[in-house]
Amino acid sequence: MYVIDDLDIVRPLPDLPQSSVGAPIPCVLADEHAVVVAFYVQSTPPGWDGTSIQVVGRDTPDLPVAIVRFRGAYAHLFGPPNDEAFLGHPLEARGLHPYGAFEIERSSWIRALAEMNSVHPYHSSALFSGYRHFILAFHDSTFECVAEGYDVHVSQGPIASTVTLMATLLASAAQPNPGVQWTRSARH
């Protein structure tokens, strides 16, 4: 994790679909230049009266799945905290909360990465000016990424069947549209 200072600002990302609050089952695939995250989207079955639950797994069919491709990825974290330990996240007091998608403006993490890189003989702080800090807070985990931007595609599950598409998107991260209809895109 990183240490924050008083400059970090948490902003919601309203253009990302709401992850399932029960079982988003996020899946992450990454290389040195891109990261792809897939997760179940929150949906309520028609006629649901709140008295029953649906058990969801990696192979549950016919649920909406969001696939988010982070372009120009520099670093990412995937793991704790979960929703029950979220008070322990350093940005929780700034408005970060479980089950949401956020961008961190004036990110301490990006500034720490730039500082770490400053020992490189060809370092330039300008190299870090195009990076953005994103956080996806799920039920049982949190994903954070420093990248240049992201694209979103929504399809139907099961989530296990998206891995092949995720690999295609990862391999084509430099291409704006590798044969996939993006529903939303955040670019500089």
Side-chain angles (χ1 to χ4, degrees):
M1 191 60 59
Y2 46 88
V3 176
I4 67 165
D5 57 26
D6 49 348
L7 298 178
D8 296 76
I9 300 169
V10 175
R11 299 271 190 239
L13 289 173
D15 62 332
L16 286 179
Q18 170 65 54
S19 66
S20 168
V21 297
I25 309 177
C27 178
V28 177
L29 191 60
D31 67 13
E32 292 181 321
H33 306 289
V35 179
V36 181
V37 180
F39 55 88
Y40 286 126
V41 173
Q42 180 66 27
S43 65
T44 303
W48 183 67
D49 64 4
T51 61
S52 62
I53 62 167
Q54 178 183 16
V55 177
V56 175
R58 289 177 186 84
D59 296 318
T60 304
D62 302 324
L63 291 178
V65 175
I67 301 172
V68 183
R69 177 180 64 174
F70 293 92
R71 294 172 279 96
Y74 187 78
H76 68 277
L77 302 167
F78 183 48
N82 65 13
D83 61 341
E84 295 168 339
F86 213 77
L87 288 171
H89 193 289
L91 292 167
E92 186 276 337
R94 307 274 172 91
L96 193 71
H97 56 80
Y99 319 116
F102 306 90
E103 181 171 357
I104 310 307
E105 296 175 1
R106 299 167 56 183
S107 168
S108 292
W109 188 22
I110 294 174
R111 288 181 277 123
L113 291 169
E115 177 65 26
M116 181 173 29
N117 192 67
S118 69
V119 300
H120 190 286
Y122 301 110
H123 172 76
S124 168
S125 57
L127 296 173
F128 291 83
S129 65
Y131 286 119
R132 299 163 64 192
H133 179 178
F134 303 103
I135 299 178
L136 304 178
F138 299 111
H139 180 80
D140 290 322
S141 60
T142 301
F143 173 82
E144 299 196 38
C145 183
V146 170
E148 294 171 348
Y150 61 87
D151 303 298
V152 182
H153 173 73
V154 178
S155 63
Q156 289 298 114
I159 209 153
S161 71
T162 66
V163 175
T164 301
L165 176 57
M166 292 170 70
T168 300
L169 296 174
L170 187 68
S172 63
Q175 301 171 14
N177 184 356
V180 171
Q181 180 63 44
W182 296 106
T183 55
R184 300 170 182 93
S185 182
R187 301 187 185 276
H188 268 72

